Amino acid sequence: YTPDTLQHHCWGCGGVGMSTTTFYPNKDGDSSPTSVDGYFRNDESGGGGASWADIRTRDPGTAAFDDHNSLRAMIKAGSSNWSEFQRSILGFDKSSIDGENIASATLDLVCIFNNDTYTDSCSLVDAAPLSNTALVVADYDHLGTTKQAADRPFDEITNDSATHESFTLNATGLTRIGGNGVINFGLRTKRDNDDDEPTISSGQDDTIRFASADEALASDKRPRLVITHTSAFTPRAIMF
């Protein structure tokens, strides 16, 4: 059994009643899931590829995987056009701390593959899948472009299937997780997200893969959202 939420409390750790709670996406086969993670492909290789603009904005994609052991972000070139893009969505049910004051948060991922032809980064962005518990090809175009944390350059991410790499949420990301219920994030390559087309190098790609909730690595390498928070405080007057 692997819980989807872990919590510890710390009194005097920089705030009164400060707590840290860790959330995980549900994996495939969980009973009564409330969240999901997975990735999407837009594969245009069969038709000779597509222009950057077309492959980037295509709706829907060509395949969705919410039971795979990896999350992926990729741009891949054909001989003279672009052959495939990949993107991911991951969700966390934080309803157990709804109403709390959010102090800080990180989204931690373990890299299992990394290839960087075009000098790229990974962008953590907003996302709004059609369902919180299952992904479909139409969700390929349901990732936003608003960054929830600083981009992480591919060449600075440890690729060892063991090390948790952190995206520290910025003010926009913290506001986002201040909402109620399930919070969804997206992963895209920075070039995809920023609409920054590189010069094509035939057959070459930028690819990064992270362990998903369905990973089977040593220890626990699932994606995790770690939130530091305090209880909402309502002052009360005491009359004598």
Side-chain angles (χ1 to χ4, degrees), residues 21-107:
T21 308
T22 302
F23 300 93
Y24 303 91
N26 284 115
K27 66 180 181 180
D28 186 56
D30 280 354
S31 60
S32 303
T34 56
S35 62
V36 70
D37 70 355
Y39 79 95
F40 314 94
R41 299 175 63 190
N42 189 1
D43 185 355
E44 303 289 345
S45 59
S51 70
W52 176 271
D54 284 348
I55 198 170
R56 184 173 177 270
T57 60
R58 190 82 73 199
D59 183 18
T62 57
F65 305 89
D66 57 16
D67 58 356
H68 200 272
N69 64 6
S70 67
L71 303 172
R72 304 182 178 192
M74 183 182 82
I75 58 171
K76 183 177 182 180
S79 57
S80 60
N81 249 329
W82 294 94
S83 63
E84 185 174 345
F85 276 23
Q86 296 179 356
R87 301 168 179 167
S88 296
I89 285 179
L90 55 168
F92 303 89
D93 183 358
K94 56 161 290 289
S95 57
S96 63
I97 63 166
D98 284 352
E100 299 272 287
N101 296 317
I102 307 298
S104 63
T106 63
L107 197 156

Side-chain angles (χ1 to χ4, degrees), residues 132-213:
N132 285 328
T133 57
L135 300 178
V136 295
V137 292
D139 290 324
Y140 173 81
D141 196 40
H142 281 240
L143 285 78
T145 58
T146 302
K147 297 183 182 184
Q148 310 295 295
D151 294 330
R152 294 295 312 275
F154 280 15
D155 64 2
E156 294 180 7
I157 293 176
T158 303
N159 173 24
D160 64 359
S161 299
T163 303
H164 280 95
E165 295 283 349
S166 294
F167 291 80
T168 300
L169 268 59
N170 58 24
T172 301
L174 293 177
T175 298
R176 183 174 183 79
I177 65 171
N180 293 333
V182 177
I183 308 299
N184 290 289
F185 294 95
L187 295 172
R188 307 171 71 154
T189 71
K190 180 178 185 295
R191 287 189 177 275
D192 170 20
N193 191 72
D194 295 0
D195 195 13
D196 181 16
E197 181 181 8
T199 301
I200 283 179
S201 180
S202 180
Q204 299 302 303
D205 64 271
D206 285 347
T207 302
I208 194 158
R209 299 176 187 170
F210 299 102
S212 75

